[in-house]
Amino acid sequence: MTDSPKILTRRGLLGFGGVAAGGMLLSGCDKLLQSDKVNGVVRSAENATYRWQRLIGRDALAREFTAADMSPVFKANGTRDPQEPEYVAHAAEKFVNWKLAIGGLVSNPMTLSLAQLRQMPARTQITRHDCVEGWSAIGQWTGPQLGLLLKAAGLKTNARYIVFHCADNYGGELSKGGAQSTSIYYESIDLVDAFHPQTILAHGMNGAPLTVAHGAPVRMRIERQIGYKQAKYVMGIEAVSSLAGFGSGKGGYWEDRGYEWYAGI
Ligand SMILES: Nc1nc2c(c(=O)[nH]1)N[C@H]1C(S)=C(S)[C@@H](COP(=O)(O)O)O[C@H]1N2
Ligand SMILES: [Mo]
């Protein structure tokens, strides 16, 4: 690990005093700090944030494993080789002209090349991926924390969710849930998960650059949630106030087809 994820996360969360999630955070903290139980607790912002995280429970870290625990084979699932012309062209050039777009409700929309993403401070984590289809695998993921990117982009106060736009059209055939909505794969998370220290944009897997099968050039790792939340082939990151207007409005390809939006593990 080459960073200080906890500090970044606390700062990230504290940066959101005015937003829905942040507002809840602060009022939760205020109440907590007024209660007798925590009298005597140092009233630093960091401590308040820590207390709040413990209270809500969603900022607990997902379990991390050692290199010895890594699965010899990590199955690739869902789209394994996107056929969309734009993606095919980027892949053929090894993504040298590919850029990640960060936009929506941010004050500094930006585009970042893969080289720039690789230069950012990265977090490396060995975690277990659980797919709803009933298989799991332990792998190592490396990449910058999403929170770091969102801080740089400057979320506006009305941002509540982060939407990930992927390159692949998963098809929408009946076997893939049906064509209820656009079948371009997409996902979304709230700001608690967005600023979770283990939420990273992985450009590396098991010590090597991320392969196409696993989501090159970058894919999400959102370690408190299940497999289908781990968007591969991320082309754009958009801060939004509502999930209406994307797909069928349920927040993701599989969510539009009846799966849970908050799929915690
Ligand atoms: N863009 C995109 N992301 C995706 C999928 C997909 O089909 N397209 N499948 C999801 C599912 S169901 C799982 S289990 C994981 C599989 O990731 P892996 O191929 O690295 O095992 O990616 C998730 N992210
Ligand atoms: Mo999955």
Side-chain angles (χ1 to χ4, degrees):
M1 271 168 247
T2 54
D3 64 344
S4 46
K6 281 173 189 148
I7 291 165
L8 286 171
T9 301
R10 287 175 186 148
R11 284 200 195 127
L13 281 167
L14 289 172
F16 280 95
V19 211
M24 191 173 81
L25 180 161
L26 289 182
S27 54
C29 286
D30 288 348
K31 277 195 199 110
L32 198 64
L33 289 171
Q34 280 156 20
S35 79
D36 289 331
K37 238 182 171 182
V38 292
N39 274 350
V41 166
V42 181
R43 294 187 179 203
S44 71
E46 293 226 330
N47 220 325
T49 307
Y50 174 75
R51 283 275 156 184
W52 176 81
Q53 288 174 355
R54 302 295 302 186
L55 191 71
I56 303 297
R58 284 195 42 205
D59 273 274
L61 293 183
R63 181 170 171 198
E64 293 192 12
F65 298 79
T66 67
D69 302 315
M70 281 162 60
S71 303
V73 175
F74 197 117
K75 182 183 156 104
N77 202 37
T79 302
R80 281 159 246 211
D81 192 10
Q83 293 305 308
E84 289 57 45
E86 201 187 330
Y87 182 88
V88 170
H90 282 309
E93 305 175 323
K94 297 199 160 29
F95 304 103
V96 289
N97 292 310
W98 170 89
K99 281 200 161 68
L100 173 76
I102 303 179
L105 298 173
V106 296
S107 7
N108 316 306
M110 54 175 87
T111 57
L112 293 165
S113 68
L114 184 54
Q116 286 173 314
L117 287 171
R118 287 185 187 285
Q119 278 158 20
M120 288 182 66
R123 187 174 204 278
T124 291
Q125 57 204 31
I126 300 176
T127 54
R128 195 184 68 210
H129 175 104
D130 296 301
C131 173
V132 282
E133 292 170 5
W135 59 274
S136 298
I138 295 175
Q140 185 201 59
W141 305 99
T142 299
Q145 291 173 309
L146 177 62
L148 199 61
L149 291 165
L150 295 178
K151 282 212 77 175
L155 284 191
K156 293 190 174 168
T157 53
N158 52 340
R160 288 182 179 210
Y161 305 99
I162 305 299
V163 175
F164 305 107
H165 297 286
C166 304
D168 57 315
N169 187 329
Y170 194 47
E173 294 101 305
L174 271 183
S175 65
K176 296 174 177 176
Q180 289 92 331
S181 72
T182 170
S183 36
I184 301 292
Y185 204 95
Y186 77 104
E187 256 305 335
S188 61
I189 55 175
D190 65 15
L191 299 184
V192 175
D193 268 330
F195 284 90
H196 187 281
Q198 290 169 319
T199 296
I200 64 172
L201 264 119
H203 51 63
M205 177 187 184
N206 296 352
L210 192 66
T211 60
V212 165
H214 290 290
V218 290
R219 65 97 50 86
M220 293 312 302
R221 290 306 308 174
I222 301 151
E223 304 292 0
R224 300 298 307 279
Q225 296 208 54
I226 205 152
Y228 60 82
K229 300 296 290 186
Q230 320 300 323
K232 306 198 282 189
Y233 318 112
V234 176
M235 304 288 117
I237 294 180
E238 188 176 357
V240 302
S241 59
S242 157
L243 297 174
F246 300 97
S248 302
K250 304 272 171 50
Y253 179 94
W254 286 111
E255 289 85 336
D256 285 344
R257 290 156 179 83
Y259 285 74
E260 292 294 314
W261 176 73
Y262 188 79
I265 45 174

